[in-house]
Amino acid sequence: MSEKPFGSGYFGEWIDDEFDQPAYRYTCDQVNDSKAETVGNPVWRNLTDQCHQVGNDRLVGEASNYGYVRVRQDEGGAKFLNDYIPAEHQYSGGFGYLTDGENDLSTFYTGNGYEFERIFGTGYIRKMVKSDKYSIDQKVFAPFGDDPLLISQVTIKNNTKVETSLKWIEYWGCRLNQFSFRSLIQAMFRKDLNKMSGIRRKFAKKYIDSFSLFGRQGLINKKHFKGRNIVEKITWKILELVYASIKTGTMGGKFRYSLPEVSFEDENPPEIFLVSLDAPVSSIKTDGNTFFGKGGAGSPDGIHGAPEYSINAGDAMILEREFALNPGEAQTLYFAYGYIPEDFEIESLIEKYLVDLPGLFKRTVETWKEDNIVLDIPDEPWIARETKWSNYYLRSNMTYDSFFKEHRQVQSSPYLYMMGMHLGPEDQVLYSLPFTLNVPWIVKENIRYILKEMLPDGRIASVVTGNGMIVPTLMVKTLEHPLNLLWLVSEYILSTRDFQFLEEEVTTYPYEGEIRKPEKIKDLLQKAYNFVTGFNIGKHGLLRILRGDWNDILLEFIPAKYHKAIEEQGESVLSSATAAFTFNLYAQLLEAMGEMNKAQHARKEADKQIEAVRAVWNGNWFRRAWFSDKLGWFGDKELWLEPQPWAILGNCTTEAQSKILVSNIDKLLRVPSPIGPGLASDTEFKDPGELTNGGVFLNMAGMLCWALAGIDGEMAWDEYKKNLLSNHAEVFPELWYGIWSGPDHYSSVLSKYPGHTFFDKSILDKNEEKAFFTNFTDFPVMNPHSHMWSMYSAAKLMGVKFTKEGLMLKPVIPKEIYSFSSPLVGIIKTRTGYSGWYAPLQSGKWKIAISLEEQDRVFERVKINGIEAPVENDRDGNIIIFGEGSKDSPLKWDLL
């Protein structure tokens, strides 16, 4: 792999594109290269399909190495607007065909040329196809911002010595595929979850397509829902009753249609459009079956068909443009494909994109450079590349929810694309945390979204699906969600000083159908705190485990007969260690707000949890959980990672315990694994090293990196690099996922398949009938975990910690030269000193405490906002800086 940039893997190589942005040049011939085949279930996707995320703040495009792009849209319920079903002549779209009447060239792989180059870029996929006579350069990109469309920019060049008449055919589909949780239940009770894909696609045929012209430039597709018949309605009512009776595992309960608009699927999907932006078209077709015919996407029968304006039947959107090119001449064509949300008008949307079309692509890619979080290490440049790339991937995962009226990040991967679930406010918190440093409005929208999911007693719903449907799940009985909410809001306010946000009012979800009154965010936050502290303490003083704390193993792997006792008696060391950290952070927020009595209460509760966690130290590590009087302690013989970093971060460890704990984590979990720590040193459950049964979860790996940064800087730096995608690509170069994006977990060294993500082993025998339907290999990328942690952990390696007075810094990267930059805070180390800045939203005088290694404490003077002064130190040896700063006028400092 030494010939390529570090972290390139087998399937291509990292490059800098023309805008000096990171991009991945995909070079594998997946049609003929057996290494391109993923272990997975073909009912969900082509096993050689490898995809890249093309998105903005509104939609997400799943761009395939074959050249097609499936567009995900979430208003009304998550769905693909343009499904990929080759057997039914549905090919998603985002590609096209060039013909001179005799010679054809395509941007659908392999393209019929002698060269087909693919580049996965920041906001785009680029396909460059060449034949002896012509070349095509097609860029499909999502314009930066909140507009619901993709742009297809197609540059065609005549490489012949004669003038040539040409035709370009732009194709996009419009067959829906809704990520319906209803279809999961229907398949579950048929005892064949693999039928879920077929159920969804059958449901898509309940919509009648109609088309209208957008002048002479394009098409608008509208869908009318035919409704369900009486048998389907009765069957569903029965399934609801059965589902409500489930009492084991994590699922089960009564569905609540709290408002008339709440639904599992979008029965009134938005109109979809395809428009030629720069000129009228010569032909419009909507019959994909006739167009593709026997030749399919590779060589459609209709390429040489006569022009027509047929808009009465079909579910395809095909526009044709005719033009002539002189020898050596090139021409660029522009198309827009998207949908029309309820607050948009197609006329004004299209008009917006008629201004400076030639500069649109450059503006889009250049804008992604702004407001980034970047860790730059001169002698390891791949780290800056990955943090820049992660900025793009994390933000472009965002979509808009028209029910909650907020943008949000989601888990994606199988959780959404297969199970149909916007799963886990705890993960939504994690994906929001980096944005405290660079894009505050995203944090606020995610916080409002989570608060709107709050139930009357302060609990937070675990899963949302469709249009505002709260999925009944027993995991709603967990303390993880309110604890993580307290963490996020406290960190956001302390970092940005946006105290006015706490005064905003939010109306929470009408869970039982009751009308909820608006409440201030600060009051809802206190309600979440009260829920955690109100009654949830077990006999060991630890917070109760209820129906789970994070790890599904606690209920999924333990026999159902013990579940009731666990819910009644079980206690979570993880929850208590998390609470020790979170309550102290929340107390700082309350003190900054002037709520001294509440702050004192939170600190006392933190102290109780610290004491309770310390009591379960077994001499080597902290136990994992108390299950029940019958089952006793879990995690005494094996080291389970989850509570350990939080115990360090929550100040539950003594200095001696920290050294012992870190040594054992290093020896038992870190050293054996080349890609980050496994969750367990050993496990008595079936399939060790898989999923939460000892797998490598980026969530917990990131927490460990953060905890190590306060104890052993070199180990933290090593852990950070181990957790990055680039490292996974070096260790497992022939796994395409784990190069430019990945899942939330990999199998650990305890597994027979380390480095892979989870898949049912029946797949290896080509036995799809028996295979577990949630093979993570079927949607193994576009999960935000690997991207958010590369950004957030970089801040923790700087020791970034916000306090009620300002900011603490403790940089630990063992390098002579580096820089960490974000709009909110930055730190630069050179061979001669340190400098940095702090730019909170609110203007004020802030205290920055900088902790350096003893050999670095050689500074005598400091420059604060350009004014030189003697260095001040506190009793711990920290350098103390006081100065004015705000978003528009950062507090800047230099140690001299």
Side-chain angles (χ1 to χ4, degrees), residues 442-744:
I442 294 177
V443 185
K444 293 199 287 188
E445 291 218 22
N446 277 287
I447 289 171
R448 292 190 200 100
Y449 192 107
I450 296 169
L451 289 170
K452 289 177 180 181
E453 295 176 285
M454 184 177 284
L455 307 184
D457 60 2
R459 290 179 296 159
I460 300 171
S462 301
V463 182
V464 175
T465 190
N467 190 50
M469 174 65 74
I470 299 292
V471 173
T473 165
L474 301 177
M475 288 298 288
V476 77
K477 295 183 178 180
T478 176
L479 302 182
E480 180 185 13
H481 304 153
L483 281 173
N484 279 21
L485 173 67
L486 289 166
W487 170 23
L488 173 61
V489 179
S490 299
E491 181 154 328
Y492 170 71
I493 301 298
L494 290 172
S495 62
T496 64
R497 314 294 157 176
D498 185 10
F499 288 95
Q500 292 180 337
F501 179 60
L502 295 171
E503 300 298 324
E504 285 190 21
E505 292 188 336
V506 169
T507 302
T508 58
Y509 191 83
Y511 190 62
E512 299 289 352
E514 77 285 12
I515 302 300
R516 306 291 300 161
K517 295 181 179 180
E519 298 177 75
K520 289 185 176 182
I521 288 176
K522 64 181 182 181
D523 296 331
L524 291 171
L525 207 61
Q526 187 67 23
K527 183 180 289 188
Y529 171 80
N530 292 341
F531 172 73
V532 176
T533 58
F535 62 93
N536 293 305
I537 305 296
K539 71 178 185 180
H540 298 93
L542 298 165
L543 291 177
R544 290 172 57 197
I545 205 165
L546 300 178
R547 295 297 301 187
D549 55 6
W550 174 82
N551 192 334
D552 296 343
I553 197 173
L554 302 181
L555 291 180
E556 297 293 346
F557 285 73
I558 295 172
K561 63 182 180 180
Y562 298 116
H563 288 187
K564 184 178 180 181
I566 291 173
E567 184 175 352
E568 293 174 350
Q569 303 170 24
E571 300 171 65
S572 169
V573 182
L574 171 59
S575 292
S576 286
T578 305
F581 168 86
T582 302
F583 290 165
N584 271 320
L585 187 66
Y586 183 47
Q588 285 200 61
L589 173 61
L590 291 168
E591 288 168 352
M593 295 164 57
E595 299 277 3
M596 296 306 175
N597 290 336
K598 291 180 180 178
Q600 185 179 18
H601 187 278
R603 291 200 183 278
K604 286 182 178 179
E605 291 298 318
D607 290 341
K608 290 179 184 177
Q609 293 310 305
I610 290 171
E611 183 180 353
V613 171
R614 285 178 176 170
V616 299
W617 173 257
N618 71 0
N620 293 299
W621 54 73
F622 294 96
R623 298 179 176 94
R624 177 63 181 83
W626 170 263
F627 278 157
S628 65
D629 293 337
K630 184 175 181 63
L631 297 177
W633 287 105
F634 175 59
D636 220 341
K637 295 180 294 181
E638 308 89 5
L639 169 58
W640 283 81
L641 177 63
E642 298 104 304
Q644 318 305 330
W646 279 116
I648 295 170
L649 294 169
N651 293 319
C652 302
T653 57
T654 64
E655 186 175 348
Q657 286 173 340
S658 292
K659 290 180 179 179
I660 295 170
L661 179 58
V662 167
S663 175
N664 283 318
I665 290 173
D666 190 43
K667 178 175 63 176
L668 298 175
L669 300 180
R670 271 186 24 85
V671 171
S673 174
I675 57 167
L679 290 185
S681 60
D682 196 4
T683 170
E684 62 191 69
F685 301 113
K686 181 184 176 184
D687 297 325
E690 305 281 341
L691 295 171
T692 54
N693 187 23
V696 177
F697 273 77
L698 296 167
N699 178 359
M700 293 303 166
M703 296 290 185
L704 176 61
C705 178
W706 176 11
L708 290 174
I711 297 173
D712 187 326
E714 290 198 9
M715 191 182 293
W717 176 235
D718 179 67
E719 184 60 38
Y720 177 77
K721 292 192 290 184
K722 270 188 168 186
N723 298 343
L724 295 180
L725 287 165
S726 300
N727 179 61
H728 190 277
E730 288 292 311
V731 178
F732 300 102
E734 295 181 5
L735 287 174
W736 72 272
Y737 55 86
I739 299 176
W740 58 87
S741 186
D744 63 346

Side-chain angles (χ1 to χ4, degrees), residues 181-449:
F181 189 77
R182 185 200 301 260
S183 65
L184 170 61
I185 296 174
Q186 290 170 322
M188 185 166 63
F189 288 107
R190 292 184 187 184
K191 299 184 178 179
D192 187 352
L193 290 169
N194 288 312
K195 291 189 181 299
M196 188 167 71
S197 178
I199 293 171
R200 288 183 182 179
R201 285 171 169 163
K202 182 179 179 181
F203 180 75
K205 295 178 181 179
K206 286 186 169 290
Y207 292 84
I208 300 172
D209 288 275
S210 63
F211 294 89
S212 59
L213 294 175
F214 185 74
R216 291 185 58 85
Q217 290 185 262
L219 281 167
I220 300 174
N221 169 265
K222 185 174 179 60
K223 299 185 185 298
H224 172 72
F225 182 55
K226 294 187 292 185
R228 296 179 174 84
N229 60 43
I230 188 64
V231 174
E232 291 170 327
K233 291 178 180 178
I234 292 173
T235 301
W236 176 245
K237 289 297 182 184
I238 294 171
L239 291 181
E240 281 190 311
L241 292 173
V242 175
Y243 186 85
S245 69
I246 296 175
K247 302 297 182 183
T248 62
T250 58
M251 308 308 292
K254 178 184 177 182
F255 288 105
R256 292 173 169 84
Y257 300 86
S258 304
L259 293 170
E261 61 267 31
V262 169
S263 62
F264 284 96
E265 296 94 4
D266 188 354
E267 296 182 0
N268 296 287
E271 293 180 331
I272 304 168
F273 63 83
L274 175 62
V275 172
S276 170
L277 293 172
D278 57 307
V281 298
S282 57
S283 178
I284 291 178
K285 299 175 182 177
T286 61
D287 186 352
N289 286 326
T290 300
F291 175 78
F292 289 107
K294 294 180 179 179
S299 182
D301 296 354
I303 287 181
H304 304 129
E308 59 180 275
Y309 277 77
S310 173
I311 62 170
N312 296 321
D315 49 7
M317 307 178 82
I318 303 168
L319 303 184
E320 298 182 3
R321 293 271 299 273
E322 294 180 354
F323 54 97
L325 291 179
N326 292 320
E329 185 183 9
Q331 181 173 337
T332 301
L333 317 178
Y334 300 90
F335 301 88
Y337 174 83
Y339 65 98
I340 310 169
E342 57 185 18
D343 296 330
F344 283 70
E345 293 181 352
I346 186 171
E347 290 81 8
S348 57
L349 181 63
I350 295 302
E351 185 177 354
K352 177 179 178 180
Y353 285 91
L354 299 180
V355 179
D356 188 23
L357 280 171
L360 180 57
F361 178 65
K362 179 181 179 180
R363 291 199 306 275
T364 290
V365 182
E366 291 277 9
T367 308
W368 279 110
K369 294 182 179 181
E370 300 173 5
D371 297 332
N372 275 356
I373 298 169
V374 180
L375 178 59
D376 192 356
I377 312 293
D379 60 353
E380 297 184 84
W382 54 275
I383 293 174
R385 179 196 73 210
E386 183 152 339
T387 51
K388 291 176 185 177
W389 184 255
S390 289
N391 275 271
Y392 163 69
Y393 248 83
L394 182 62
R395 180 163 177 176
S396 64
N397 171 265
M398 185 164 60
T399 56
Y400 183 74
D401 187 313
S402 55
F403 179 86
F404 288 100
K405 308 295 183 186
E406 307 287 353
H407 291 82
R408 66 161 294 172
Q409 272 82 21
V410 297
Q411 273 259 44
S412 298
S413 51
Y415 305 109
L416 176 63
Y417 289 97
M418 297 172 71
M419 303 180 210
M421 300 189 291
H422 289 297
L423 182 64
E426 72 279 7
D427 290 300
Q428 192 176 355
V429 163
L430 295 177
Y431 308 151
S432 303
L433 284 166
F435 292 121
T436 61
L437 302 173
N438 63 344
V439 194
W441 72 263
I442 294 177
V443 185
K444 293 199 287 188
E445 291 218 22
N446 277 287
I447 289 171
R448 292 190 200 100
Y449 192 107

Side-chain angles (χ1 to χ4, degrees), residues 494-497 499 592 803-807 838-849 864-865 867 869 872 880-887 889-892:
L494 290 172
S495 62
T496 64
R497 314 294 157 176
F499 288 95
T803 67
K804 61 183 179 180
E805 296 94 359
L807 171 67
Y838 178 45
L841 297 178
Q842 179 178 310
S843 178
K845 187 171 184 179
W846 311 110
K847 173 184 175 183
I848 299 179
I864 305 172
N865 290 335
I867 300 173
E872 294 183 38
I880 302 300
I881 294 171
F882 290 95
E884 299 278 346
S886 66
K887 180 178 183 295
S889 182
L891 192 173
K892 295 182 179 180

